[in-house]
Amino acid sequence: MNILDTALSLVAPHQCVVCNAEGAVLCKSCAATLPTLPSICYVCGKATKHNSPCQQHKSSSAPIAVYIATDYQGAIKKLIKAYKFDYKRSAAKDIAYFLQLNIPYLDSDYVLTYVPA
C-alpha cells in the first residue's frame, strides 16, 4: 500500500468483499476460507501428480506443469474484481499472499500468467 492508500484507509476503511467486515479488502477469517485446488490436469481437471497434464493430454508441445491456485469463483473472484474494476489496489497484497501460499517457487524455466478479462 502506498501512503495515499494508507491515509485514505484511516478516513474510509476498506470493507471485506465477502462479509463486509470493516478494516480490510479481505478479512482474515474470509482469507482462511479461500478454496485451493489439488494437483490437476489443466485441460480436463483430472487428478494428477506434480501439476502435470494427464496421460491423455500430455504431448511434446504441452507444458510440463500448470499450477492453478483456485477456481475463479466465490471470494477470490470478488477479490480480483475489486482489484481490477473497483480500484481497490490494496487487494494486491491479499492476492499476492494467496499465490505465495499456493504456488511453489518458480525458477527461470517457468512463466506466470493470468486469464485475461
Side-chain angles (χ1 to χ4, degrees):
M1 258 184 1
N2 63 30
I3 296 171
L4 181 60
D5 285 337
T6 304
L8 191 57
S9 69
L10 294 173
V11 178
H14 290 291
Q15 288 186 316
C16 176
V17 295
V18 179
C19 69
N20 293 322
E22 191 175 283
V25 178
L26 185 68
C27 70
K28 289 182 181 184
S29 61
C30 290
T33 65
L34 291 177
T36 58
L37 290 178
S39 175
I40 60 171
C41 173
Y42 69 94
V43 178
C44 65
K46 184 190 290 185
T48 63
K49 291 184 179 181
H50 311 294
N51 296 88
S52 61
C54 66
Q55 286 300 102
Q56 181 182 354
H57 296 109
K58 190 178 282 190
S59 71
S60 60
S61 62
I64 296 168
V66 175
Y67 297 94
I68 305 169
T70 189
D71 286 328
Y72 185 62
Q73 62 184 354
I76 199 74
K77 183 175 182 176
K78 290 179 183 180
L79 183 64
I80 292 171
K81 281 187 168 187
Y83 174 76
K84 289 175 75 173
F85 305 116
D86 297 337
Y87 304 103
K88 295 188 182 204
R89 298 298 178 223
S90 59
K93 67 178 177 154
D94 296 322
I95 296 167
Y97 184 68
F98 178 76
L99 290 175
Q100 178 187 3
L101 293 176
N102 295 291
I103 302 291
Y105 175 76
L106 304 173
D107 62 18
S108 62
D109 293 337
Y110 292 90
V111 175
L112 180 65
T113 188
Y114 61 96
V115 178

